[in-house]
Amino acid sequence: SQLQGQLSELQDGLGAEVSIRGRSSQDTGTPVAASSGLIAIDYFFSLQNLSATDTFTVSFRALTVHSISASGPDAFVQSNLSVLDAANNELYFTDYRADTANPGPGNNFQLSSASDTFAFTVLPGQSLSFSALLKQIGGAADGSYSALLSAYLLVDNVRVDGNNPVPAPGTLPLLVLALLGCATVLRRRA
């Protein structure tokens, strides 16, 4: 296997399952304090190519399952996952929202990236990193909310391209010795 470290086999990965829920009710005639919740998990991945000649393309797959619910006159919930490269370009996302106080399409939707895979090409000697943020937030002034998100990022494929024009580590010393030998022969003839 070309992989080393924590994720050393295909289908290895990192994941979490998180959920939040809360409720508040005005039904009893006695006001109950509003309920709110927030959970966030931040992942950081680092890729390093220790080869002097091979280029690696490492593909990842995101597996996610969402379940969200908001009910009552005033409740909302949001559940999302964002995967970003080191320059903060979005590689993958999911965003699920429900809001009972603002029922329009801008507040109630389920969006995901068109593709659940993303890849990095790591050149010889290069290091790359990316991060993922899993976040859920919800609140209810009069109602209830719940969200469940299961997110897993796994190594899907590794492709090796060994056709880089970099000399093998033993080639350079042999070349230097050959040039010194040629120079010595030319000096003796002169």
Side-chain angles (χ1 to χ4, degrees):
S1 172
Q2 296 89 8
L3 301 174
Q4 295 179 10
Q6 299 298 322
L7 306 177
S8 60
E9 299 293 329
L10 294 181
Q11 308 306 312
D12 277 355
L14 182 64
E17 184 171 295
V18 296
S19 65
I20 62 170
R21 73 184 89 240
R23 65 186 293 271
S24 176
S25 176
Q26 305 297 328
D27 295 341
T28 62
T30 306
V32 176
S35 166
S36 65
L38 168 68
I39 188 167
I41 298 174
D42 194 11
Y43 303 96
F44 182 80
F45 294 84
S46 179
L47 305 173
Q48 183 178 17
N49 184 348
L50 299 176
S51 172
T53 59
D54 294 333
T55 295
F56 292 90
T57 301
V58 183
S59 299
F60 289 85
R61 179 173 305 277
L63 304 174
T64 59
V65 176
H66 280 275
S67 173
I68 62 169
S69 173
S71 61
D74 191 2
F76 78 95
V77 68
Q78 177 181 347
S79 179
N80 59 44
L81 171 68
S82 296
V83 179
L84 306 170
D85 66 13
N88 285 330
N89 297 310
E90 194 166 63
L91 304 170
Y92 176 80
F93 78 95
T94 62
D95 191 1
Y96 284 48
R97 299 180 189 195
D99 189 338
T100 62
N102 302 294
N107 296 314
N108 295 275
F109 54 81
Q110 298 176 356
L111 298 174
S112 293
S113 294
S115 174
D116 62 352
T117 60
F118 53 94
F120 295 93
T121 299
V122 190
L123 302 174
Q126 185 180 29
S127 295
L128 297 174
S129 63
F130 68 98
S131 62
L133 177 64
L134 182 152
K135 185 170 97 174
Q136 291 183 321
I137 187 169
D142 187 8
S144 64
Y145 65 90
S146 66
L148 170 72
L149 172 55
S150 176
Y152 189 64
L153 301 174
L154 60 92
V155 178
D156 194 43
N157 190 26
V158 177
R159 191 179 79 233
V160 181
D161 178 13
N163 296 326
N164 292 315
V166 176
T171 306
L172 189 56
L174 290 175
L175 181 60
V176 169
L177 286 175
L179 290 174
L180 288 174
C182 288
T184 303
V185 168
L186 290 175
R187 267 196 189 156
R188 285 185 185 167
R189 287 188 182 172

